[in-house]
Amino acid sequence: MRRNNVMKIRNLACLLLVMCLLLAAAGCGGGTTASSTATASSQPAGSSAAPAESKAESKAEPAAIAPIKWLTTGDTGAKPMASGDRVVAQINEQLGIELTVQIVPEGNVEKVNVAMASGDFPDVVTGQYGNSATQQWIDNEMVIDLSPYFAENPSLRDRVEGTYSWTAIDGKYYGVPFITQYTTANALIAMRQDWLDNLNLTYPETLEDMKTVLTAFTFDDPDGNGKQDTYGYTSQKPAGNTQFEWVFGALGRKYSDYGLADDGTIIPWFEGDYFIPGMEYIKDLWDSGVVDSELFLNDNPKKEEKFYQGKAGAMSAALFRHVSRHERNLQQITPEASLAYGLPPKGPDGSFGMNPQGKSGMYTCITAVCKAPEKAAAFLNLMVSDEGNDLLRLGIEGTHYTVENGNVVFNEEERAKDAFSDNGWAHPLAWGSFFWPLESGYLPDTEPSADRALESTKLATEAMLPNLIKE
């Protein structure tokens, strides 16, 4: 039966390969050079041979070492791993596996799809949650149900049956989802606190307050240079949202994906009663000249640059671990500058909101050709467990860090050897596939603005607009 399934999968894979190659060729015609020329890189990381042999000497019947190949997109925030990685060696020894990590460029899920369609299946694969390709993996029995392995892997069970219980298909769980910003958000409207102080203003609490502040930032010389050369508000060009969600949230928008008519009918979000008044408010700001006239040309770096350079006094911004970065960059140009943030402005009835709840993310599965699915499940369990998180964030105690008087002290020299990011940030395996620091609330002890980072996340999450439809 298993041989028949494998043959069925390989036959289906041939068809899928043709489809994916056609899609990839079409994408190359309009994509950027970086994404169209990027190639996957195999990184056999770590070796468990010596530890396994040492452990085997004390046992009459040594356990077999299972090779596990993991194909994933990784994250550009992570450093590349090298062979001999001691964190991977620790995972190998603990689980009795030989892990090989094959990484394609972050976000380039099409290359994962092509690799899957080629028939050269990994044992574990991370793709994009909810797209047609990963659904085909399920429909064509290319990946297996994880439910039979829950009893031995409680962290895996809790992850999918708890936070993501709605991802079950006919009672079966075919992967471990990681939906970005599903339970936590990090965006607020950041402002120049020093400009507010210069103009005897406070952070705006209502839409009317916001207009007053943005007008003053534009016309009342907030930087004191005697010139009218500033804007009140800047952002980046829309990409999936309007950059003015805070306006619609204040005027009664309750959901990020759809709206509800008075009779309970599901409608497009832009057909809600709040939409026209919201557009009128935005048009008023635009016509008043308080919004950056180049907003629709800005990418995120350009938006931030304008804020740091004092060309605009407010911007929609990711905060959390970026609080210290924003303030540091402000002060490099204006030493007395400081950062303000708060809940988005409220409307007449007290409504507020700005951050859409996430619907997209990653999906990690065990393939049907994996010869050791119980070992692969144990690997997934470790990756989503507190123990695994500690290993990937902190490293190996005594090697990558020590604990002194209850505080973690990092050995950055040793951490660099195993591709940990600088200043207490995590190992490459921690980035993107199962967690980001925001979703898990992780900040290293080295973070200079930890209290403000956590405060900003609390406020941003309070301002989240939930999805009406979870799937």
Side-chain angles (χ1 to χ4, degrees):
M1 181 67 179
R2 184 179 183 87
R3 179 178 179 83
N4 290 336
N5 283 341
V6 172
M7 292 301 296
K8 177 182 178 183
I9 290 168
R10 294 193 183 278
N11 290 335
L12 287 167
C14 293
L15 177 60
L16 288 172
L17 175 58
V18 173
M19 294 171 61
C20 287
L21 287 173
L22 288 173
L23 288 171
C28 289
T32 63
T33 302
S35 62
S36 63
T37 61
T39 57
S41 61
S42 281
Q43 298 182 8
S47 173
S48 61
E53 291 171 3
S54 176
K55 190 173 182 179
E57 290 174 0
S58 63
K59 293 185 177 182
E61 297 181 2
I65 301 298
I68 298 294
K69 178 183 176 182
W70 179 24
L71 176 64
T72 181
T73 57
D75 192 295
T76 55
K79 293 182 177 181
M81 288 187 294
S83 61
D85 186 287
R86 288 172 292 183
V87 170
V88 177
Q90 174 75 16
I91 293 171
N92 287 341
E93 180 178 10
Q94 181 171 337
L95 300 180
I97 65 175
E98 185 69 37
L99 179 65
T100 300
V101 184
Q102 184 177 0
I103 297 176
V104 300
E106 179 189 5
N108 199 340
V109 294
E110 191 59 46
K111 290 191 176 292
V112 173
N113 298 337
V114 170
M116 283 290 286
S118 73
D120 182 20
F121 296 104
D123 300 288
V124 177
V125 60
T126 299
Q128 184 175 355
Y129 175 77
N131 71 359
S132 59
T134 48
Q135 186 60 48
Q136 283 183 324
W137 300 351
I138 297 169
D139 294 343
N140 295 331
E141 301 179 10
M142 299 168 75
V143 296
I144 65 173
D145 176 23
L146 302 180
S147 305
Y149 305 98
F150 285 170
E152 298 298 321
N153 299 287
S155 294
L156 177 61
R157 178 196 62 218
D158 293 347
R159 173 68 172 262
V160 296
E161 286 190 337
T163 303
Y164 297 111
S165 60
W166 48 270
T167 64
I169 299 175
D170 297 328
K172 297 180 178 180
Y173 295 94
Y174 291 94
V176 184
F178 166 45
I179 310 300
T180 55
Q181 300 203 25
Y182 180 68
T183 59
T184 310
N186 70 341
L188 292 169
I189 299 173
M191 287 190 173
R192 291 284 296 267
Q193 179 63 56
D194 52 314
W195 285 15
L196 291 171
D197 294 340
N198 292 344
L199 299 171
N200 294 316
L201 295 170
T202 58
Y203 192 89
E205 295 184 3
T206 67
L207 285 178
E208 285 302 313
D209 294 342
M210 179 64 78
K211 182 179 178 181
T212 297
V213 167
L214 298 185
T215 300
F217 279 179
T218 304
F219 300 109
D220 294 351
D221 193 21
D223 56 3
N225 69 354
K227 301 177 183 178
Q228 189 175 306
D229 57 356
T230 57
Y231 283 108
Y233 179 74
T234 191
S235 192
Q236 70 263 34
K237 55 191 172 186
N241 57 57
T242 68
Q243 307 306 329
F244 289 92
E245 264 66 26
W246 50 272
V247 176
F248 301 113
L251 294 174
R253 182 180 179 185
K254 292 182 170 27
Y255 303 102
S256 65
D257 52 354
Y258 295 97
L260 277 179
D262 292 338
D263 63 358
T265 302
I266 296 175
I267 58 176
W269 76 267
F270 49 81
E271 291 184 7
D273 293 340
Y274 47 78
F275 186 73
I276 291 178
M279 291 302 295
E280 290 174 344
Y281 179 90
I282 296 168
K283 183 177 185 299
D284 183 39
L285 295 182
W286 185 270
D287 290 345
S288 299
V290 304
V291 176
D292 178 8
S293 61
E294 297 179 337
L295 183 148
F296 292 99
L297 301 177
N298 294 339
D299 56 14
N300 191 65
K302 188 65 176 178
K303 172 197 73 176
E304 292 184 348
E305 177 186 280
K306 290 181 175 182
F307 183 69
Y308 302 149
Q309 292 177 346
K311 295 179 180 179
M315 67 171 178
S316 58
L319 297 178
F320 185 53
R321 64 191 183 95
H322 301 289
V323 168
S324 58
R325 178 176 68 87
H326 291 320
E327 197 153 64
R328 181 174 63 252
N329 287 338
L330 277 173
Q331 292 171 352
Q332 285 179 350
I333 297 174
T334 308
E336 66 273 17
S338 57
L339 188 73
Y341 55 82
L343 287 172
K346 297 179 175 64
D349 66 354
S351 296
F352 67 92
M354 69 176 284
N355 293 313
Q357 185 179 33
K359 273 199 170 186
S360 63
M362 310 313 294
Y363 197 55
T364 301
C365 311
I366 298 174
T367 67
V369 298
C370 178
K371 295 180 180 179
E374 72 288 344
K375 294 282 191 178
F379 169 66
L380 297 184
N381 183 73
L382 181 63
M383 290 296 96
V384 299
S385 70
D386 290 341
E387 177 189 5
N389 269 314
D390 285 345
L391 176 62
L392 298 182
R393 291 167 177 168
L394 305 179
I396 301 167
E397 186 171 4
T399 300
H400 301 114
Y401 74 98
T402 56
V403 179
E404 300 177 10
N405 299 319
N407 297 316
V408 173
V409 178
F410 292 112
N411 185 329
E412 292 291 356
E413 181 179 353
E414 290 299 319
R415 286 166 60 85
K417 295 177 183 177
D418 294 311
F420 281 88
S421 294
D422 299 336
N423 299 318
W425 291 102
H427 185 272
L429 293 187
W431 291 80
S433 297
F434 302 101
F435 292 105
W436 275 339
L438 172 66
E439 277 74 13
S440 53
Y442 172 70
L443 288 167
D445 290 345
T446 54
E447 171 55 45
S449 299
D451 290 343
R452 297 183 73 197
L454 294 173
E455 177 192 41
S456 71
T457 300
K458 178 178 180 296
L459 295 174
T461 303
E462 191 176 343
M464 180 181 282
L465 295 168
N467 292 320
L468 180 61
I469 298 175
K470 301 299 181 186
E471 292 81 0

